[in-house]
Amino acid sequence: MSFVDEVKNAVSPRAALLVLGVLALQLLFITSYVGALHHPKPKDIPVAVVAPDRLAAPLADRLDRLPGSPLDPRTLADERVARDQMLNRDIDAALVVDPRSTTDTLMIASGQGTSETQAITRIFEEVAKEQQRTLRLDDVAPVSNQDAGGLSSFYLVVGWCVGGYLCAAVLAISAGARPANRERAAIRLLVMAAYAIVTGLLGALIVGPILGALPGSVPSLWGLGALTVFAVGAATLALQAVFGIVGIGLAILFVVIAGNPSAGGAYPLPLLPDFWRTIGPGLPPGSATWVARSIAYFRGNAVATPLFVLTLWAGAGAVITLVFSSLRRKDEIDALVRNGPALSAAPPNAPERASYIRAERRFEG
């Protein structure tokens, strides 16, 4: 046998196509991560100015006209309103001007990510220096001293997402990417749900009581973890039901390649390029990271929309998995009935199988 023949036997056309798919995923991985994270630049960060009327509007206008438009300023009536809006995640910082002094207060929230907080602080320090004023920092939602960079919530979500698509992939590898029927698809979804409940709890316990890396309610994090894992797992099962083994690669594309760099982990959304800032809130890693930070540092506020996004992924994944598994079963039954005469040359149990198929077809019809 020649070397060419050996190559053909060793690498089938299907395997060659899968290798090309892996190459594409690898290049997309590099492009997405480097494209999103290589040059963080603040853009339209929502901030507030609290100052007397004669000072507030001109200062807000000055901030709005900064080169590159790093801030999206608005004016607020008083410091209490600004603090409430920060804890509700409506704004990311607030400058409180004291006209009787040369020192102003910059309210920040390092729990939303220290990289964004540092960028905000640098911008306001430059503005204060130009006006010959100084700043005092007031951290209204301080990051835990065990949560370096405010990244623990992001790493927790990444772990949950990895578990979700790997569990779904294992179910596919062990018993076929496409479930044979609706019942088996339902069983896979139930297994996925049980896995999500367990791993959601374990993840919350690890970052909370065990490592002390992330404050916040353990039951709330548990619920978030279960929903996140199931959303990713159900979406992966759905992609497998539609596309077969290729669905695993598509899940990696959505969750890892597109989802992780746009999640606002290493750099929160206002520091990301427009494309990643746009898609991040609609993907499971971004939605779950936002909710985890809200649970840990912002009293669980502003979580309705990201929780809806996660629920939508979970529900759509489950429905698509069941629907396509049902359609596949009916297609197989129709094909076997059409080929009924050929069953005469089949093994001894073929007639019984043919009768069963016809009966099942009448029942489902």
Side-chain angles (χ1 to χ4, degrees):
M1 183 178 293
S2 67
F3 177 75
V4 174
D5 292 332
E6 291 285 1
V7 172
K8 290 180 179 179
N9 289 332
V11 183
S12 66
R14 182 171 182 268
L17 289 175
L18 290 175
V19 169
L20 291 176
V22 170
L23 173 62
L25 287 176
Q26 175 183 320
L27 296 178
L28 287 171
F29 183 98
I30 295 171
T31 302
S32 183
Y33 277 70
V34 176
L37 306 176
H38 78 288
H39 184 52
K41 184 179 180 182
K43 177 76 171 179
D44 294 331
I45 300 176
V47 300
V49 174
V50 179
D53 292 340
R54 61 185 176 83
L55 299 176
L59 181 53
D61 183 64
R62 166 79 176 89
L63 296 175
D64 191 41
R65 290 185 288 106
L66 290 175
S69 187
L71 303 178
D72 179 17
R74 66 210 62 182
T75 60
L76 293 177
D78 56 48
E79 181 179 343
R80 180 186 57 80
V81 174
R83 186 178 299 271
D84 289 343
Q85 288 201 10
M86 289 187 67
L87 291 175
N88 199 43
R89 309 197 73 177
D90 295 325
I91 58 175
D92 293 352
L95 179 66
V96 182
V97 178
D98 183 358
R100 298 165 299 179
S101 170
T102 59
T103 300
D104 301 325
T105 300
L106 178 62
M107 300 168 61
I108 57 174
S110 58
Q112 68 197 356
T114 56
S115 57
E116 181 182 357
T117 300
Q118 291 168 356
I120 292 171
T121 302
R122 284 195 299 268
I123 293 171
F124 277 98
E125 284 178 343
E126 291 176 2
V127 173
K129 185 177 180 180
E130 291 176 1
Q131 298 178 338
Q132 297 182 340
R133 300 180 70 84
T134 58
L135 286 179
R136 180 182 69 86
L137 298 182
D138 178 12
D139 198 341
V140 302
V143 67
S144 168
N145 57 11
Q146 300 295 317
D147 181 14
L151 294 173
S152 295
S153 55
F154 172 61
Y155 294 143
L156 173 63
V157 168
V158 168
W160 278 332
C161 291
V162 168
Y165 70 75
L166 283 183
C167 181
V170 167
L171 291 173
I173 293 171
S174 63
R178 294 186 175 98
N181 52 49
R182 182 176 57 250
E183 290 74 18
R184 293 187 185 179
I187 291 172
R188 289 189 183 185
L189 288 169
L190 288 173
V191 171
M192 194 72 248
Y195 176 84
I197 292 171
V198 172
T199 193
L201 174 60
L202 294 177
L205 291 175
I206 289 172
V207 301
I210 295 176
L211 296 179
L214 202 64
S217 166
V218 170
S220 297
L221 288 174
W222 179 10
L224 171 63
L227 178 59
T228 301
V229 174
F230 185 76
V232 173
T236 305
L237 290 174
L239 290 169
Q240 292 169 177
V242 178
F243 299 103
I245 197 70
V246 176
I248 298 175
L250 293 175
I252 293 174
L253 175 63
F254 285 118
V255 177
V256 179
I257 295 176
N260 285 352
S262 65
Y267 296 112
L269 294 179
L271 273 64
L272 296 178
D274 290 342
F275 173 76
W276 285 269
R277 188 189 316 180
T278 301
I279 68 172
L283 297 173
S287 297
T289 298
W290 177 277
V291 176
R293 281 180 171 156
S294 289
I295 292 172
Y297 298 114
F298 297 92
R299 304 175 183 174
N301 291 327
V303 299
T305 298
L307 285 177
F308 173 77
V309 170
L310 290 171
T311 303
L312 189 62
W313 277 86
V319 169
I320 292 172
T321 300
L322 293 172
V323 168
F324 272 81
S325 299
S326 300
L327 294 175
R328 180 178 182 237
R329 181 61 172 165
K330 290 181 179 180
D331 290 343
E332 289 181 347
I333 291 172
D334 289 340
L336 287 170
V337 171
R338 285 196 302 270
N339 296 328
L343 293 175
S344 58
N349 65 339
E352 290 79 6
R353 176 62 175 166
S355 299
Y356 167 77
I357 291 171
R358 293 189 182 95
E360 184 173 7
R361 187 176 182 226
R362 287 195 298 273
F363 175 78
E364 293 187 350

